[in-house]
Amino acid sequence: MDTLSLVKPGEQYLQQIAGYRQEFLDADSSMDGCGPLRRFENPMDWLLQIEAMSHLETLPDDKVLSTQFLCVRSEDNRLVGMIQVRHYFNDYLEKYAGHIGYSVRPSERRKGYASWMLREVLPYCRSLGLDKVLVACLDTNPASRKVILSNGGIYESTAHEPDKDVNLERYWITL
């Protein structure tokens, strides 16, 4: 497997973040674990938003504290995935999305990157004082289900998210 690193987003990645976003839009694919990236054409605006979401004093009222990581392949410094850790729940996260969201750019899938990202972020979750984390995936996404199960996920339930009309499988991973 390629050598990967989880890094905090920074200005040096702005062009790659824009390309990452565009690849998802072109593929009409869900940008899970990217925070509000879909809404931001300018990657600097996204970077400012996720930075605000990482500090209590700048946290928008409708958000929870979260930490955003980029997954970068060392050999070519390519952004291949993103993973976000939400430090606690609001009503929506508790019912549907969970503590962790992740995605791998469409051209880099099926290489084990998502499993690696999830495994590598779990110690960070422990450092936040969490003893277990909730991770959810669409019931139509067997690849994501496999990622969660390979990292110790235990199925709890499936929840119907009415606004998007999707079913989300909910899994707990004990840390």
Side-chain angles (χ1 to χ4, degrees):
M1 177 140 148
D2 296 319
T3 304
L4 304 170
S5 298
L6 289 181
V7 300
K8 296 282 182 88
E11 290 185 35
Q12 70 272 32
Y13 292 104
L14 289 177
Q15 186 174 354
Q16 288 202 60
I17 292 165
Y20 188 88
R21 178 183 181 272
Q22 191 59 52
E23 189 171 328
F24 276 86
L25 293 173
D26 291 348
D28 194 28
S29 187
S30 175
M31 285 185 237
D32 301 313
C34 301
L37 183 58
R38 183 175 291 278
R39 294 194 319 262
F40 290 103
E41 284 187 39
N42 181 342
M44 188 64 193
D45 293 339
W46 174 79
L47 191 61
L48 293 170
Q49 177 71 19
I50 61 163
E51 181 63 24
M53 292 169 56
S54 69
H55 303 285
L56 273 176
E57 55 275 2
T58 56
L59 184 66
D61 289 337
D62 60 335
K63 303 296 180 195
V64 301
L65 278 180
S66 60
T67 305
Q68 184 73 51
F69 295 99
L70 307 180
C71 180
V72 177
R73 186 171 51 214
S74 299
E75 291 79 43
D76 55 2
N77 198 41
R78 180 171 167 81
L79 170 59
V80 297
M82 291 194 191
I83 190 163
Q84 184 184 62
V85 176
R86 280 79 72 152
H87 299 199
Y88 51 88
F89 292 143
N90 59 19
D91 287 341
Y92 181 85
L93 294 174
E94 186 172 21
K95 290 177 187 172
Y96 307 114
H99 288 101
I100 300 172
Y102 54 84
S103 61
V104 173
R105 69 186 318 149
S107 63
E108 297 289 349
R109 291 180 179 160
R110 304 186 62 81
K111 297 178 181 179
Y113 295 160
S115 291
W116 183 89
M117 286 190 301
L118 183 54
R119 181 175 56 254
E120 291 299 308
V121 85
L122 294 177
Y124 177 75
C125 295
R126 265 193 303 277
S127 78
L128 296 174
L130 299 170
D131 57 1
K132 63 181 182 174
V133 291
L134 177 63
V135 186
C137 68
L138 292 171
D139 65 348
T140 56
N141 189 340
S144 190
R145 179 184 308 116
K146 183 178 175 184
V147 166
I148 297 166
L149 292 172
S150 74
N151 278 283
I154 304 296
Y155 175 79
E156 179 194 71
S157 62
T158 299
H160 181 75
E161 205 280 67
D163 292 340
K164 297 178 184 174
D165 194 27
V166 296
N167 294 317
L168 293 150
E169 295 177 355
R170 298 162 34 91
Y171 295 85
W172 287 94
I173 299 174
T174 301
L175 304 177

